[in-house]
Amino acid sequence: MHAFDVLGDPVRRRILELLAEGETSAGDVCVVIQREFGISQPAVSQHLKVLRLNGFATVRPDGTRRLYAVDPRPLRDVDQWLDHFRRFWTPPLNALATELARGKRERRLREQSG
């Protein structure tokens, strides 16, 4: 499965967001995903399996629990692919940052002189 096929699913993206916060048990992931998406525990398990089989997540046993974590390697590949397109948003974002800094500077100067 291609990385964007894996990431194209909103449930799997949300699971990765949860895992990005730190190692998380399958049960804890399931509680959040069931609440947010209304899907069954077996469906959540299937999404975790897809993430694991495609290299986006690791799993380690901890007693009866299974702890999942993000594996960043496929995300680096996605980031590398996105490099081809950064030119479309980087200059406008840099210009915005410049304008915000200019506005803050002008406010600070007005406050100091007024």
Side-chain angles (χ1 to χ4, degrees), residues 1-9 12-22 50-52 54-58 69-83 86 89:
M1 188 176 278
H2 189 274
F4 286 104
D5 293 326
V6 174
L7 297 174
D9 187 282
R12 288 193 287 268
R13 286 194 310 270
R14 180 62 177 126
I15 291 171
L16 282 174
E17 290 170 0
L18 294 171
L19 299 181
E21 295 173 11
V50 169
L51 290 170
R52 185 175 45 81
N54 288 281
F56 284 87
T58 61
V70 169
D71 186 336
R73 289 176 292 184
L75 295 171
R76 288 186 198 114
D77 294 339
V78 170
D79 186 56
Q80 189 174 36
W81 184 84
L82 285 171
D83 272 343
R86 291 192 203 290
W89 63 79

Side-chain angles (χ1 to χ4, degrees), residues 37-76:
F37 291 91
I39 63 175
S40 67
Q41 181 274 326
V44 175
S45 294
Q46 187 62 36
H47 284 293
L48 285 167
K49 181 179 178 182
V50 169
L51 290 170
R52 185 175 45 81
L53 291 177
N54 288 281
F56 284 87
T58 61
V59 63
R60 75 175 178 88
D62 181 40
T64 60
R65 300 180 330 151
R66 298 290 172 257
L67 299 175
Y68 284 81
V70 169
D71 186 336
R73 289 176 292 184
L75 295 171
R76 288 186 198 114

